């Protein structure tokens, strides 16, 4: 019985995570807000309806606002959420 509870808990957690990801993908939000909700791990998959330039623009705006911080340059660029 403990294993079954553990397994069902894992499945439930996966479905909740999936639901959160789908909510971001299909929400009709401005680019900046989509980027804000999706920062960072799977940004390219979560914002697939946006162009790369829209995502990058969202990052630039969020850096200006102080919501995220840019670390590194070029291919090694990373962003850290501040708020």
């Amino acid at each position: 019985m403990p294993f079954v509870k553990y397994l069902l808990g894992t499945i439930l957690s996966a479905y909740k995570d999936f639901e959160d990801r789908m909510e971001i993908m299909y929400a009709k939000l401005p680019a900046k807000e989509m980027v804000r909700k999706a920062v960072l791990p799977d940004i390219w998959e979560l914002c697939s309806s946006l162009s790369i330039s829209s995502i990058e623009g969202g990052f630039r705006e969020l850096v200006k606002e102080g919501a995220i911080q840019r670390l590194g340059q070029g291919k090694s660029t990373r962003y850290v959420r501040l708020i």
Side-chain angles (χ1 to χ4, degrees):
M1 193 58 137
F3 176 75
V4 172
K5 286 183 179 181
Y6 168 77
L7 183 61
L8 291 175
T10 302
I11 292 170
L12 180 62
S13 176
Y15 272 110
K16 285 181 181 179
D17 185 47
F18 177 73
E19 182 179 24
D20 291 343
R21 290 170 183 255
M22 296 307 289
E23 202 172 288
I24 292 171
M25 283 179 61
Y26 292 107
K28 297 294 181 191
L29 300 171
K32 177 179 153 184
E33 291 306 311
M34 274 185 105
V35 171
R36 182 188 302 272
K37 287 183 178 260
V39 173
L40 242 176
D42 301 316
I43 191 78
W44 306 115
E45 288 105 21
L46 292 172
C47 297
S48 61
S49 64
L50 298 176
S51 68
I52 291 174
S53 61
S54 293
I55 293 171
E56 290 169 346
F59 275 123
R60 281 191 298 276
E61 287 184 39
L62 291 170
V63 168
K64 284 180 187 175
E65 290 178 2
I68 61 175
Q69 179 182 11
R70 181 180 175 181
L71 305 173
Q73 294 180 348
K75 291 183 180 182
S76 65
T77 300
R78 301 288 181 259
Y79 294 90
V80 177
R81 186 185 319 199
L82 300 175
I83 49 176

